[in-house]
């Protein structure tokens, strides 16, 4: 806007910054959580600013060797540093409409919603596998296709470099993903027979202090 910036000011509430005026800076955070970033730039033409709310997510430095989540707590997504990303209006969320056991589960509604080709993801809190010799992930899922032509895919990926890169460990779609017959209405599992347990090896992140899943 009006030429290159001649000066800039970084604002990251709660963080210690290596510089507030350099083009590239390093931020150190005292606690886990989400942090908002603001950049103010100026030149001879004037001043402008850009703010990104909750732009940086800082995870706890210590994970849990044996991680279990029942999703029973109404605030589990925020209490334990889970992170949800959506490519459209759909979003993963907690529901008490269906569960294999207990009263709650995590679900996403695809029936007559969303945009084809988008990705909706959720990240578990970092898991400490630094002292673990063997690790695996177990979860239960329930899924019904609307018809034989629409294909939705569920993937599970892991990272050992704080999310810079991910390795796919699980990919299923269509009939391979389905746990029951096709449903012409929005599917809600009503019995444990409509759920299936999956087990995924986490061998490639064994020994990692903060593995992301």
């Amino acid at each position: 806007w009006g030429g290159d910036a001649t000066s800039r000011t970084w604002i990251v509430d709660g963080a210690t910054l290596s510089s507030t005026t350099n083009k590239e800076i390093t931020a150190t955070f005292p606690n886990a959580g989400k942090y908002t970033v603001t950049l103010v730039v100026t030149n001879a033409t004037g001043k402008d600013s850009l703010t990104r709310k909750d732009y940086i997510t800082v995870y706890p430095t210590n994970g849990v060797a044996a991680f279990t989540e029942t999703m029973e707590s109404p605030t589990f997504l925020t209490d334990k540093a889970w992170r949800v990303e959506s490519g459209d209006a759909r979003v993963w969320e907690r529901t008490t409409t269906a569960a294999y056991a207990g009263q709650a589960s995590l679900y996403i509604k695809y029936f007559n919603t969303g945009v084809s080709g988008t990705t909706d993801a959720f990240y578990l809190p970092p898991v400490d596998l630094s002292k673990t010799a063997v690790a695996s992930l177990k979860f239960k899922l329930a899924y019904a296709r609307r018809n034989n032509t629409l294909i939705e895919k569920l993937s599970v990926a892991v990272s050992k470099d704080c999310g810079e890169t991910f390795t796919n460990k699980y990919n299923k779609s269509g009939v391979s993903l389905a746990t029951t017959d096709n449903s012409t209405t929005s599917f809600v599992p009503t019995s444990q027979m409509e759920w299936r347990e999956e087990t995924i090896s986490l061998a490639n992140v064994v020994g990692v202090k903060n593995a992301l899943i």
Side-chain angles (χ1 to χ4, degrees), residues 19-153:
S19 169
T20 59
T21 57
N22 288 350
K23 184 179 294 186
E24 297 182 359
I25 66 169
T26 299
T28 303
F29 300 89
N31 300 299
K34 296 183 178 181
Y35 293 83
T36 298
V37 179
T38 298
L39 176 61
V40 182
V41 295
T42 58
N43 60 17
T45 307
K47 177 188 294 187
D48 200 2
S49 65
L50 178 66
T51 297
R52 289 285 185 264
K53 181 176 175 58
D54 296 337
Y55 189 66
I56 297 175
T57 299
V58 177
Y59 292 103
T61 56
N62 56 327
V64 181
F67 178 84
T68 302
E69 179 54 68
T70 63
M71 303 171 188
E72 292 298 293
S73 169
T75 57
F76 86 91
L77 282 171
T78 54
D79 288 347
K80 299 180 181 179
W82 287 65
R83 180 158 59 95
V84 176
E85 292 182 354
S86 177
D88 51 29
R90 300 170 301 198
V91 64
W92 286 96
E93 54 189 315
R94 179 182 179 270
T95 180
T96 55
T97 303
Y100 178 83
Q103 298 182 356
S105 61
L106 194 66
Y107 92 111
I108 188 166
K109 185 177 181 180
Y110 273 92
F111 192 85
N112 284 344
T113 63
V115 179
S116 177
T118 56
T119 299
D120 303 281
F122 66 89
Y123 299 79
L124 278 67
V127 181
D128 185 358
L129 300 177
S130 59
K131 298 180 181 179
T132 303
V134 178
S136 62
L137 171 68
K138 290 186 178 182
F139 62 92
K140 292 181 174 66
L141 68 93
Y143 166 72
R145 297 186 295 170
R146 180 179 178 182
N147 54 50
N148 293 337
T149 58
L150 290 176
I151 298 177
E152 291 131 1
K153 180 173 72 173

Side-chain angles (χ1 to χ4, degrees), residues 161-185:
D161 53 11
C162 296
E164 289 293 324
T165 59
F166 280 86
T167 301
N168 278 331
K169 301 295 293 181
Y170 173 98
N171 284 291
K172 285 189 178 181
S173 61
V175 67
S176 295
L177 180 62
T179 60
T180 189
D181 296 334
N182 292 2
S183 176
T184 57
T185 59

